[in-house]
Amino acid sequence: QEQLVESGGGSVQAGGSLRLSCAASEYIYMHSCMGWFRQAPGKEREGVATISPGGTGTTYYADSVKDRFTISRDNSKNTVDLQMNSLKPEDAAMYYCAAELGYCSSADWGRVEEYQYWGQGTQVTVSS
């Protein structure tokens, strides 16, 4: 069974930075739209950022994280990383890595139902 394994969560003060990493099998990494979702207590899971496979690696971001978060691929490690800067208390949540075979869609990239593979999640806490 395909697995996604997240790492890099933790606690940080507002304004600080964290870097999340998601490791995938080579097949999933090479052929999937991969991204990050988050879920805060009492809220629905929401898309944060996704990146398509291949050289162009088209990216999509939630408006709330644009210009603060950067998603990228590391082809040497088969990982998708999320660099989170200028963190705010409202960014605190469980962050999940997800993968969907194929390319990311501008219309559907943030829809939870589109993704076949999920990690277990990594907690991000931001104190004010």
Side-chain angles (χ1 to χ4, degrees), residues 2 7 29 66-67 69 90 93 100 125:
E2 299 290 349
S7 61
Y29 179 83
K66 280 180 182 176
D67 300 324
F69 291 10
E90 52 263 43
E100 165 196 17
T125 303

Coordinates of all heavy atoms in Angstrom, one line a residue, residues 2 7 29 66-67 69 90 93 100 125:
E2 N 0.5 2.2 -0.9 CA 1.3 3.4 -1.0 C 1.2 4.2 0.3 O 0.1 4.3 0.9 CB 0.8 4.2 -2.1 CG 0.9 3.6 -3.5 CD 2.4 3.5 -3.9 OE1 3.2 4.1 -3.3 OE2 2.6 2.8 -4.9
S7 N 6.9 14.9 7.9 CA 7.8 15.2 9.0 C 8.0 16.7 9.1 O 7.6 17.4 8.1 CB 9.2 14.5 8.9 OG 9.8 15.0 7.7
Y29 N 5.5 9.7 -6.3 CA 6.2 11.0 -6.5 C 6.3 11.5 -7.9 O 6.0 12.6 -8.3 CB 7.6 10.9 -5.9 CG 8.4 12.2 -6.0 CD1 8.2 13.2 -5.1 CD2 9.3 12.4 -7.1 CE1 8.9 14.4 -5.2 CE2 10.0 13.6 -7.2 CZ 9.8 14.6 -6.3 OH 10.5 15.8 -6.4
K66 N -0.6 32.5 0.4 CA 0.3 33.1 -0.7 C 1.3 34.1 -0.2 O 0.9 34.9 0.7 CB -0.6 33.7 -1.8 CG -1.3 32.7 -2.7 CD -2.2 33.4 -3.7 CE -2.9 32.4 -4.6 NZ -3.8 33.1 -5.6
D67 N 2.4 34.0 -0.7 CA 3.5 34.9 -0.4 C 4.2 34.6 1.0 O 5.1 35.3 1.4 CB 3.1 36.4 -0.4 CG 2.6 36.8 -1.8 OD1 3.1 36.4 -2.8 OD2 1.6 37.6 -1.8
F69 N 4.0 30.9 2.1 CA 4.3 29.5 2.0 C 4.9 29.2 0.6 O 4.4 29.8 -0.3 CB 3.1 28.6 2.3 CG 2.6 28.6 3.7 CD1 3.1 29.5 4.7 CD2 1.6 27.7 4.1 CE1 2.6 29.5 5.9 CE2 1.1 27.7 5.4 CZ 1.6 28.6 6.3
E90 N -3.4 31.6 13.2 CA -4.4 30.9 12.4 C -3.9 29.8 11.5 O -4.7 29.1 10.9 CB -5.3 31.9 11.6 CG -4.4 32.9 10.8 CD -4.2 34.2 11.5 OE1 -3.9 34.2 12.7 OE2 -4.3 35.2 10.8
A93 N -2.6 24.0 12.9 CA -3.5 22.9 12.5 C -2.7 21.6 12.4 O -1.5 21.6 12.5 CB -4.1 23.2 11.1
E100 N -2.5 12.7 -5.6 CA -3.5 12.3 -6.5 C -2.8 12.0 -7.8 O -2.1 12.9 -8.3 CB -4.5 13.5 -6.7 CG -5.4 13.4 -7.9 CD -6.0 14.7 -8.3 OE1 -5.5 15.8 -7.8 OE2 -7.0 14.7 -9.0
T125 N 1.9 24.1 15.6 CA 1.4 24.9 16.6 C 2.1 26.3 16.5 O 3.3 26.4 16.4 CB 1.6 24.3 18.0 OG1 1.0 23.0 18.1 CG2 1.0 25.2 19.1

